[in-house]
Amino acid sequence: MNDAVATAPKMAHARVDNAVYVAGRRSFFKYRDLGVTDATGGALRAQVTSATQGLGQPTGWHYHVCEHQFVYMLKGWVDLEFEDGRRIRLNPGDSLMIPGGTRHNETGTADELELLEVSVPAEMKTVACEPPAGMN
């Protein structure tokens, strides 16, 4: 058998009627695992994040230890601010790719939200940090 085929990623098929939820970075969000982490041996993670109550206060400045974090907004909205002073509101249909190590802060969300998040690699650590100079 060809070794390249033996080590290739497996197919991942996640069904909504058999959703698997996992622990995530924030206690107020639900994280639906889409099976991509296992299928790719940890090279990639894909999950649907949802909430049924708005963000009560900003998450605080932080960055993620990863190569890339990709977010596609499905429902609701989320407000983010970045170390370069940029402020972005993601609405349904909007996407955002955040390079690993980029300091940011989630400052608000809709009462109900749903987003698709993909990270490379699958393991993505969150590190709290000081706000950039001139930002709270």
Side-chain angles (χ1 to χ4, degrees):
M1 183 173 188
N2 183 336
D3 286 339
V5 173
T7 59
K10 301 178 285 186
M11 186 178 297
H13 177 209
R15 295 179 48 100
V16 70
D17 60 354
N18 193 20
V20 174
Y21 290 91
V22 296
R25 295 183 310 277
R26 312 268 181 236
S27 62
F28 46 85
F29 286 152
K30 284 177 57 178
Y31 298 93
R32 180 177 164 221
D33 180 53
L34 300 178
V36 175
T37 299
D38 289 341
T40 64
L44 180 72
R45 177 181 52 84
Q47 63 187 24
V48 175
T49 303
S50 60
T52 55
Q53 75 176 49
L55 184 64
Q57 60 185 20
T59 58
W61 284 92
H62 62 280
Y63 63 90
H64 300 294
V65 179
C66 64
E67 291 177 40
H68 310 285
Q69 175 188 16
F70 175 81
V71 177
Y72 181 84
M73 204 71 200
L74 298 165
K75 177 180 177 182
W77 54 267
V78 62
D79 287 337
L80 300 122
E81 58 184 349
F82 293 87
E83 62 186 314
D84 64 2
R86 200 175 344 186
R87 295 176 190 271
I88 295 175
R89 172 169 281 190
L90 289 178
N91 290 298
D94 293 349
S95 68
L96 178 65
M97 196 285 295
I98 305 170
T102 303
R103 291 184 293 176
H104 60 284
N105 186 12
E106 291 133 35
T107 58
T109 67
D111 286 338
E112 291 188 37
L113 70 83
E114 188 173 68
L115 58 88
L116 171 67
E117 182 181 45
V118 176
S119 68
V120 176
E123 184 177 343
M124 182 175 78
K125 295 180 179 158
T126 300
V127 178
C129 63
E130 292 297 317
M135 301 184 87
N136 295 331

